[in-house]
Amino acid sequence: MSVDVKIGIENSPRELGFASADKADEVYAAAQRALDGTDAVLALTDDKGARVLIPAAKIAYVEVGSAENRRVGFGAA
């Protein structure tokens, strides 16, 4: 199961959003290490294998949430 990640970048009107195959706790811990100064860069991987690197000093906010499975069709309830 993937998790949705949204990252706000300082001085940027748009947020960076992607789905990650990592567990929500792992993404949250990586974001926390970047925001408290332990790591200088927030390094994450999306669900397709692309790597995302964001300088910790430019992060405005990080939102980590679970992705809901999309249901398609008339029988989806």
Side-chain angles (χ1 to χ4, degrees), residues 60-74:
Y61 65 89
V62 177
E63 182 180 319
V64 180
S66 63
E68 184 178 325
N69 291 336
R70 293 187 173 94
R71 300 175 189 190
V72 179
F74 293 107

Side-chain angles (χ1 to χ4, degrees), residues 1-4 19-27 47 65-70:
M1 180 169 182
S2 63
V3 295
D4 287 331
S20 176
D22 296 332
K23 294 180 181 179
D25 292 338
E26 294 171 356
V27 174
D47 59 351
S66 63
E68 184 178 325
N69 291 336
R70 293 187 173 94

Side-chain angles (χ1 to χ4, degrees), residues 13-37:
R14 298 185 62 177
E15 65 186 11
L16 175 63
F18 60 93
S20 176
D22 296 332
K23 294 180 181 179
D25 292 338
E26 294 171 356
V27 174
Y28 181 81
Q32 192 170 17
R33 286 191 306 272
L35 293 173
D36 71 10

